[in-house]
Amino acid sequence: MAKGLTKRSVDYSQWYNELVMKADLAENSAVRGCMVIKPYGYAIWEKMQQALDKMFKDTGHQNAYFPLFIPKSYLSKEADHVEGFAKECAVVTHYRLKNDPDGKGVVVDPEAKLEEELIVRPTSETIIWSTYKNWIQSYRDLPIKCNQWANVVRWEMRTRLFLRTAEFLWQEGHTAHATKEEAMEETETMIQVYADFAEKFMGVPVVQGFKTANERFAGALETYTIEALMQDGKALQSGTSHFLGQNFAKAFDVKFAGKEGKEEYVWASSWGVSTRLMGALIMAHSDDYGLVLPPKLAPIQVAIVPIFKSEEDLAKISAVVEPIVAKLKDKGISVKFDDSDNRKPGWKFAQYELQGVPIRLAVGPRDIENNTAEVARRDTLTKEVVSMDDVDGYIAELLDTIQENIYQKALDFRTEKTTEVESYDEFKKVLEEKGGFILAHWDGSSETEQKIKEDTKATIRCIPLDGDKTPGKCMVTGKPSAQRVLFAKAY
RNA sequence: CGGGGUGUAGCGCAGUCCGGUUAGCGCACCUGGUUUGGGACCAGGGGGUCGGGAGUUCGAAUCUCUCCACCCCGACCA
């Protein structure tokens, strides 16, 4: 186990906090609830961004940027929306400071009060739809499919690094369409993009579904979600895509002239994923030795540690390793040859494990003699001695194997932790003793949903799109149920 | 915002109850040497508004008051 890292079995949440800090991903800042994302953590986020950005562009979206500030009056134009966000908004009231008359620092200049307060965006539907109003007159202007990479602020009571911070980074897509069908299709396309990203890049299996009315995004008619299962048996909402109907078009009076010249309100979708994905990535795969990163998102895919006693030894090792580094780079593999002599090999091994580097190569005098290298896998913690002649090809294949293995392991875990229950007693028992996802029948009412939440703290994560659609009877009320829904305790 | 807890070197802590030399320890850091196949060792060295402010006292990390910050449990939460 990594030095000082609390074991998951002892205290999962402490393990998580320590891991985030010890692996150099992020730390708390001087501002309550706001984090500093450190270079290594940000490098992972950048990998995520690159992959997602490409997927967005491949599905016909363009990037744009809208302001950080939203006039207070905009937020209140859509009734559900303002109700959902009002309690966690940061508000700008003044635009100037002045020297403290008492001589200590600066104070807000009371004369510099804004006519209308500005809200620091908690999400951008309102500012974007107020802008779209000017962009849309005719069906010829549609669809508009914009995405923005931005920061948003939600003044959360209790925060945790990556999982819930007062300020976070995300992308938000906002699209405008001529028909309901098209907006709906967009909503579904994007949740599929998110699911693909989670599974293919992050190696995290997700359940796609839609939210109950209670859990829906403020202002949406339908919210699609991807739900991932963490190692402690709790669910993490990892991405959402919302069908907004004509709510925002009506709130901001965005109409277009159709082919027949009739004016109609525009249909909308919005969708987003955030730095919370970092939390999902960390919690889904990592172990008591530290981070485990899927090769596709690892900033360093291969770390090479030379083992040497003298400068001459190092020179010999470098002569052998440099061509390998070049060959790996040619294959698009990111390599770090760590020939620093201020840390011992053992320290480096532990450090790269802590930081989740998928493959580590050790090359020492013994290897030089035998024309070999020691290849260590982070996911299985196993080591193998491989001939230097085809080590680059071996590594390229091994990276794919590791990517696949990490996903399979997470999938097996989820399968094992997903339980179908028939009665409320069984539900409570499974929730208490086993945790994880629970598939059960529910009568579709908010009251029952609320009761379950109050009794057990479990919520309906989603009504799954795929899977068993057999009707049944609600485990609580016995009333008819259209299909099983997915329950879990959530982050 | 309610209940509990903690603030002492970059990090982790002891000292506080019962006021009294120059505020200690481990890790980290710096210098030198020996080391290097799983978090090395020895020697030397640097680093402190004891969370802030006020008070009691000859004397405060220690006692009193007050403010602040953070953590845990609730409440709240795409």
Side-chain angles (χ1 to χ4, degrees), chain A residues 20-76:
Chain A
V20 168
M21 290 194 273
K22 285 179 195 283
D24 249 350
L25 303 175
E27 61 190 27
N28 283 306
S29 71
V31 184
R32 195 200 76 91
C34 296
M35 65 178 163
V36 173
I37 305 176
K38 298 183 76 175
Y40 190 64
Y42 200 80
I44 299 171
W45 175 240
E46 282 181 316
K47 293 277 239 180
M48 289 185 171
Q49 282 187 301
Q50 282 162 18
L52 283 165
D53 201 64
K54 181 169 188 305
M55 292 172 98
F56 298 156
K57 284 172 182 160
D58 288 348
T59 43
H61 302 90
Q62 292 176 297
N63 284 334
Y65 188 79
F66 297 86
L68 170 67
F69 301 119
I70 299 174
K72 191 180 72 179
S73 59
Y74 282 26
L75 208 70
S76 53

Side-chain angles (χ1 to χ4, degrees), chain A residues 194-208 225-230 234-238 280-281 283-285 403-416 418 437 486:
Chain A
Y194 288 156
D196 286 348
F197 173 76
E199 298 187 344
K200 292 183 181 139
F201 287 84
M202 296 172 64
V204 175
V206 293
V207 176
Q208 281 186 63
T225 178
I226 50 170
E227 298 285 327
L229 187 63
M230 302 295 104
K234 286 167 85 175
L236 185 70
Q237 177 177 306
S238 304
L281 188 70
M283 287 200 292
H285 307 307
Q403 180 80 33
E404 175 57 30
N405 180 57
I406 284 176
Y407 173 74
Q408 194 57 47
K409 201 172 157 192
L411 184 61
D412 291 346
F413 175 81
R414 190 187 73 181
T415 305
E416 196 267 315
T418 302
F437 283 152
L486 189 72

Side-chain angles (χ1 to χ4, degrees), chain A residues 339-485:
Chain A
D339 60 356
S340 59
D341 65 353
N342 52 5
R343 297 289 188 196
K344 290 184 65 177
W347 192 94
K348 292 178 186 173
F349 292 171
Q351 188 61 23
Y352 291 122
E353 264 160 28
L354 183 59
Q355 297 203 293
V357 174
I359 296 176
R360 183 188 71 236
L361 242 62
V363 182
R366 229 155 52 200
D367 298 297
I368 298 298
E369 214 169 287
N370 303 330
N371 191 40
T372 56
E374 182 191 82
V375 180
R377 279 174 69 164
R378 178 62 185 90
D379 60 333
T380 57
L381 292 167
T382 51
K383 295 184 218 176
E384 246 180 299
V385 176
V386 174
S387 162
M388 201 64 97
D389 296 332
D390 52 40
V391 71
D392 55 312
Y394 181 83
I395 284 174
E397 272 181 46
L398 186 55
L399 286 172
D400 290 341
T401 307
I402 292 173
Q403 180 80 33
E404 175 57 30
N405 180 57
I406 284 176
Y407 173 74
Q408 194 57 47
K409 201 172 157 192
L411 184 61
D412 291 346
F413 175 81
R414 190 187 73 181
T415 305
E416 196 267 315
K417 285 278 188 183
T418 302
T419 315
E420 284 193 8
V421 305
E422 307 306 328
S423 73
Y424 199 28
D425 282 343
E426 193 186 353
F427 177 86
K428 288 176 187 164
K429 190 164 182 282
V430 170
L431 193 67
E432 186 66 29
E433 291 169 12
K434 183 178 171 188
F437 283 152
I438 302 180
L439 286 160
H441 283 290
W442 161 64
D443 64 15
S445 76
S446 289
E447 292 73 31
T448 305
E449 185 183 10
Q450 200 60 37
K451 176 181 161 48
I452 295 168
K453 187 178 176 182
E454 278 163 22
D455 288 353
T456 66
K457 289 183 184 169
T459 50
I460 299 177
R461 301 319 304 154
C462 71
I463 301 160
L465 297 182
D466 299 325
D468 188 6
K469 300 281 184 192
T470 318
K473 283 182 180 169
C474 174
M475 64 173 173
V476 179
T477 62
K479 290 178 189 168
S481 153
Q483 69 170 90
R484 286 177 192 274
V485 299

Side-chain angles (χ1 to χ4, degrees), chain A residues 97-107:
Chain A
L97 299 172
K98 64 174 190 180
N99 287 324
D100 186 344
D102 297 338
K104 286 187 179 175
V106 288
V107 293

